[in-house]
């Protein structure tokens, strides 16, 4: 026969089930165990502190109403929290009573929370299930260190903030440390450098690096497999949590929710959080305000595009690391032309080295130029019609206005036709829009011009060379 508390809880569950969706019910109510009933006070056991907080935050009203219906107006609900130790010993999970002296039974504030025990059963989403001992692989790339992170004006502040955190994780005001900046500027590298530093110098700490996408998909899997608790437990054991590219949390309300709780838990326990984002927190859209406000608790610092000197240093450092010598002209040429980000800088260098090795060729300025042009071509930057007109006119030494006039002088016609041809090649403008930019000519004129240029490319070698040279100039003038 069932005990009284079991019956009461069973009745409560029936009501709750009708009021929330199946998944939430499974996740948040099935794991609850009724423990005892003293007069009108029901005690339920929940799997974790986090679980308890979640219930209080999301289901408090429902719980309150339900319990009152079952046990009358002065009904009380007590929680018992099943905890896990984080010292790795295999103590069996213990139950602890939430102290009884407190009054506001439904409030979270008065509850003094018990110490945390750890169970060897917690599932680690990073390891094969079934492994008993929790070993967290940090998922760090060992090459991303402070040593290999070149300092420049563009990153000085972020780097030293990162170093401060690395030396004293959780012990500075920089918690969370939010690093933001455009693609390829070194966010991942710097965030991981902090992690690697801690791993080497502070081996008792558990460091974990995870991209926000991975975090999200692990969370969704956990929901699907009904083990959200394991997921949460796992993350709550981390001492230094690095989450990369948090802008991907945008619009994902459930993930933001769970992250918010993990964040709070870690922060409250003096654990270090390091977050990166491709934009400043204030520009993150579709993010919960409460999350954004948490980010302000710590330090937000940005990485800027590298200046020329830093670009040179980065190239030199990479060359040195690879034991390769390169003419200074070449280094300077690359650093002058590849400005937007460091990933691109590295890409060009790798590509030049690969071609030199592959073709058993010396690393010459010419080889560098070809490679750079190729790279720039694939960059997603916009080439404008104005820029094309200017480049072509500079080349033929004719004034830009002549492109827009009706004149039929040969040299002007050629510049005009070539500009139209490049406009069609390089821009997304319609034929009509292109014609408009050439003194209001119509689209058939543009078609005709492109055709004329193609014919000449096929038949006239000198013309073909001019076209090649112009292409280079257009691509390089980006
Ligand atoms: P992000 O995460 O901002 O897109 P990454 O951290 O992936 O950029 O950096 C892109 C590449 O540039 C990486 O290979 C990284 O090692 C390199 N890099 C970035 N910043 C520096 C730096 N200051 N010194 C040396 N290499 C850097
Ligand atoms: Mg990155």
């Amino acid at each position: 026969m069932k005990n009284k508390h079991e019956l009461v809880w069973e009745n409560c569950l029936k009501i709750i089930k009708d009021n929330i969706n199946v998944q939430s019910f499974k996740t948040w109510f099935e794991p609850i165990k009724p423990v005892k009933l003293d007069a009108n006070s029901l005690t339920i056991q929940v799997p974790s502190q986090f679980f308890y907080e979640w219930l209080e935050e999301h289901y408090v009203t429902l719980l309150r109403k339900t319990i009152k219906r079952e046990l009358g107006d002065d009904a009380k609900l007590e929680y018992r929290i099943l905890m896990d130790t984080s010292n790795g010993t295999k103590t069996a999970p213990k139950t602890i009573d939430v102290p009884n002296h407190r009054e506001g039974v439904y409030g979270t504030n008065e509850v003094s929370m018990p110490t945390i025990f750890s169970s060897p059963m917690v599932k680690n989403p990073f390891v094969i299930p079934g492994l008993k001992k929790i070993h967290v692989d940090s998922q760090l790339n060992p090459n991303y260190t402070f040593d290999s992170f070149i300092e420049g004006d563009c990153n000085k502040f972020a780097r030293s903030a990162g170093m401060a955190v690395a030396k004293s994780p959780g012990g500075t005001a920089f918690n969370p440390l939010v690093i933001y900046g455009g693609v390829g500027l070194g966010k991942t590298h710097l965030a991981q450098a902090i992690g690697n530093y801690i791993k080497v110098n502070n081996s008792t700490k558990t460091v974990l690096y995870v991209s926000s996408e991975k975090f999200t998909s692990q969370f969704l899997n956990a929901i699907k497999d009904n083990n959200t608790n394991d997921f949460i437990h796992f993350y709550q054991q981390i001492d230094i949590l690095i989450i990369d590219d948090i802008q991907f949390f945008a619009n994902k309300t459930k993930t933001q929710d769970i992250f918010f709780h993990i964040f709070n838990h870690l922060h409250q326990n003096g654990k270090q959080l390091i977050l990166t984002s491709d934009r400043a927190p204030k520009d993150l859209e579709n993010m919960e305000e409460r999350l954004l406000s948490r980010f302000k608790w710590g330090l937000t610092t940005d990485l800027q595009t590298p200046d020329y000197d830093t670009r040179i240093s980065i190239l030199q450092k990479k060359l040195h690391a690879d034991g390769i010598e390169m003419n200074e002209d070449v280094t300077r040429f690359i650093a002058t032309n590849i400005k937007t980000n460091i990933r691109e800088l590295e890409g060009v260098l790798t590509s030049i080295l690969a071609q030199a090795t592959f073709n058993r060729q010396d690393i010459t300025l010419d080889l560098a130029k070809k490679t750079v042009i190729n790279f720039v071509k694939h960059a997603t930057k916009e080439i404008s019609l104005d820029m094309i007109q200017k480049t072509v006119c500079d080349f033929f030494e004719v004034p830009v206005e002549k492109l827009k006039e009706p004149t039929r002088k040969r040299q002007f016609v050629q510049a005009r036709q070539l500009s139209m041809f490049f406009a069609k090649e390089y821009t997304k403008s319609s034929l009509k829009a292109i014609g408009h930019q050439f003194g209001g000519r119509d689209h058939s004129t543009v078609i005709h011009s492109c055709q004329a240029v193609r014919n000449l490319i096929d038949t006239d070698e000198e013309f073909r060379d001019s076209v090649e040279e112009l292409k280079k100039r257009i691509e390089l003038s980006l």
Side-chain angles (χ1 to χ4, degrees):
M1 226 193 75
K2 283 196 171 132
N3 290 319
K4 187 108 194 290
H5 60 268
E6 286 168 337
L7 288 171
V8 169
W9 184 241
E10 218 168 66
N11 288 337
C12 291
L13 284 183
K14 277 183 203 147
I15 303 171
I16 292 167
K17 202 170 190 169
D18 286 342
N19 280 286
I20 63 175
N21 70 43
V22 183
Q23 193 56 57
S24 304
F25 183 81
K26 272 192 168 171
T27 309
W28 301 109
F29 290 93
E30 281 188 356
I32 297 176
K33 289 200 181 80
V35 181
K36 61 178 180 184
L37 182 69
D38 295 328
N40 52 4
S41 168
L42 176 71
T43 306
I44 57 174
Q45 176 183 295
V46 296
S48 67
Q49 152 102 23
F50 175 85
F51 203 103
Y52 157 77
E53 286 171 8
W54 188 277
L55 286 176
E56 282 282 301
E57 187 179 336
H58 293 83
Y59 299 111
V60 68
T61 321
L62 178 62
L63 274 167
R64 182 182 291 146
K65 276 193 193 146
T66 317
I67 303 274
K68 282 190 177 173
R69 232 170 102 166
E70 283 303 303
L71 296 172
D73 263 357
D74 50 357
K76 289 192 165 91
L77 181 66
E78 301 264 336
Y79 293 90
R80 199 183 257 194
I81 300 171
L82 194 65
M83 283 289 176
D84 309 309
T85 64
S86 48
N87 57 18
T89 54
K90 296 190 184 174
T91 11
K94 285 185 184 172
T95 61
I96 301 159
D97 271 308
V98 171
N100 278 326
H101 59 262
R102 72 209 164 80
E103 294 261 320
V105 178
Y106 290 108
T108 46
N109 297 342
E110 302 93 320
V111 187
S112 66
M113 278 305 143
T115 25
I116 296 177
F117 295 83
S118 135
S119 117
M121 310 302 287
V122 175
K123 235 181 231 146
N124 172 347
F126 283 98
V127 299
I128 312 113
L131 284 183
K132 273 255 169 84
K133 181 153 171 22
I134 303 156
H135 168 75
V136 179
D137 183 302
S138 64
Q139 312 284 316
L140 291 167
N141 174 344
N143 297 324
Y144 287 155
T145 60
F146 279 108
D147 277 347
S148 61
F149 191 83
I150 305 283
E151 182 177 321
D153 285 343
C154 53
N155 62 31
K156 207 179 225 115
F157 186 72
R159 191 180 189 280
S160 61
M163 190 50 114
V165 167
K167 287 193 168 143
S168 175
T172 68
F174 307 160
N175 199 12
L177 177 66
V178 182
I179 303 165
Y180 74 91
V183 281
L185 293 183
K187 302 181 294 292
T188 301
H189 187 143
L190 182 56
Q192 293 214 16
I194 302 171
N196 276 315
Y197 187 97
I198 298 169
K199 249 180 86 176
V200 172
N201 296 290
N202 216 332
S203 58
T204 55
K205 303 262 186 206
T206 311
V207 182
L208 180 69
Y209 166 87
V210 63
S211 67
S212 60
E213 286 130 311
K214 195 165 192 175
F215 181 91
T216 306
S217 76
Q218 284 175 347
F219 174 53
L220 297 180
N221 280 335
I223 295 181
K224 199 170 78 216
D225 301 342
N226 215 0
N227 52 18
T228 348
N229 272 313
D230 289 335
F231 174 84
I232 293 154
H233 276 136
F234 172 76
Y235 274 95
Q236 289 186 339
Q237 296 175 73
I238 306 300
D239 296 313
I240 289 92
L241 180 60
I242 306 168
I243 303 202
D244 207 357
D245 291 318
I246 50 159
Q247 72 273 7
F248 289 116
F249 282 160
N251 288 315
K252 305 199 174 83
T253 38
K254 273 192 198 161
T255 311
Q256 287 179 33
D257 230 9
I258 205 97
F259 175 61
F260 177 76
H261 282 86
I262 291 171
F263 181 104
N264 282 343
H265 180 95
L266 294 179
H267 198 273
Q268 273 163 21
N269 288 287
K271 307 299 173 66
Q272 179 71 46
L273 290 123
I274 298 152
L275 312 170
T276 79
S277 161
D278 72 351
R279 65 205 79 171
K282 68 173 173 46
D283 298 326
L284 284 168
E285 280 165 17
N286 303 312
M287 275 295 208
E288 283 182 42
E289 200 42 52
R290 57 179 190 169
L291 256 186
L292 295 179
S293 75
R294 290 295 190 278
F295 298 164
K296 290 191 198 128
W297 286 358
L299 178 78
T300 299
T301 173
D302 67 331
L303 291 172
Q304 287 164 0
T305 42
D307 48 280
Y308 178 78
D309 289 341
T310 313
R311 298 200 295 272
I312 291 276
S313 312
I314 290 172
L315 287 171
Q316 282 169 345
K317 175 107 180 181
K318 306 265 173 210
L319 287 167
H320 185 76
D322 288 347
I324 288 163
E325 300 222 348
M326 201 161 87
N327 199 312
E328 260 183 43
D329 287 355
V330 183
T331 324
R332 270 192 243 122
F333 178 81
I334 301 172
T336 309
N337 286 288
I338 305 290
K339 305 175 205 170
T340 44
N341 74 59
I342 299 168
R343 187 173 300 139
E344 215 165 89
L345 203 59
E346 285 185 341
V348 168
L349 186 59
T350 310
S351 175
I352 292 173
L353 298 181
Q355 286 186 56
T357 319
F358 193 68
N359 303 324
R360 292 173 208 277
Q361 218 180 326
D362 282 339
I363 304 169
T364 58
L365 193 55
D366 206 44
L367 177 64
K369 279 185 181 164
K370 278 190 195 136
T371 315
V372 167
I373 285 164
N374 244 327
F375 249 82
V376 175
K377 206 192 278 179
H378 290 114
T380 49
K381 280 157 289 176
E382 294 260 332
I383 296 178
S384 74
L385 236 150
D386 282 348
M387 193 270 273
I388 291 173
Q389 290 183 335
K390 188 175 175 311
T391 312
V392 174
C393 288
D394 282 355
F395 183 77
F396 288 110
E397 297 176 336
V398 301
V400 174
E401 308 84 69
K402 291 289 174 198
L403 301 181
K404 302 177 183 181
E405 290 171 9
T407 168
R408 292 195 160 275
K409 272 197 182 154
R410 191 175 173 275
Q411 69 199 103
F412 301 141
V413 171
Q414 191 170 53
R416 190 186 299 132
Q417 290 186 333
L418 268 166
S419 299
M420 288 184 182
F421 169 80
F422 287 125
K424 186 79 197 80
E425 285 257 294
Y426 286 114
T427 73
K428 293 191 194 82
S429 306
S430 66
L431 293 170
K432 194 172 162 207
I434 294 173
H436 187 77
Q437 293 287 313
F438 289 82
R441 290 175 156 82
D442 69 12
H443 78 279
S444 61
T445 311
V446 182
I447 296 177
H448 172 76
S449 300
C450 294
Q451 195 51 53
V453 170
R454 271 184 226 113
N455 289 343
L456 277 173
I457 290 175
D458 288 344
T459 53
D460 182 339
E461 200 169 320
E462 198 184 327
F463 184 83
R464 189 158 57 230
D465 288 345
S466 305
V467 170
E468 281 307 312
E469 177 56 31
L470 272 168
K471 271 190 176 171
K472 273 187 207 169
R473 291 193 189 185
I474 291 170
E475 288 166 355
L476 269 183
S477 63
L478 275 173

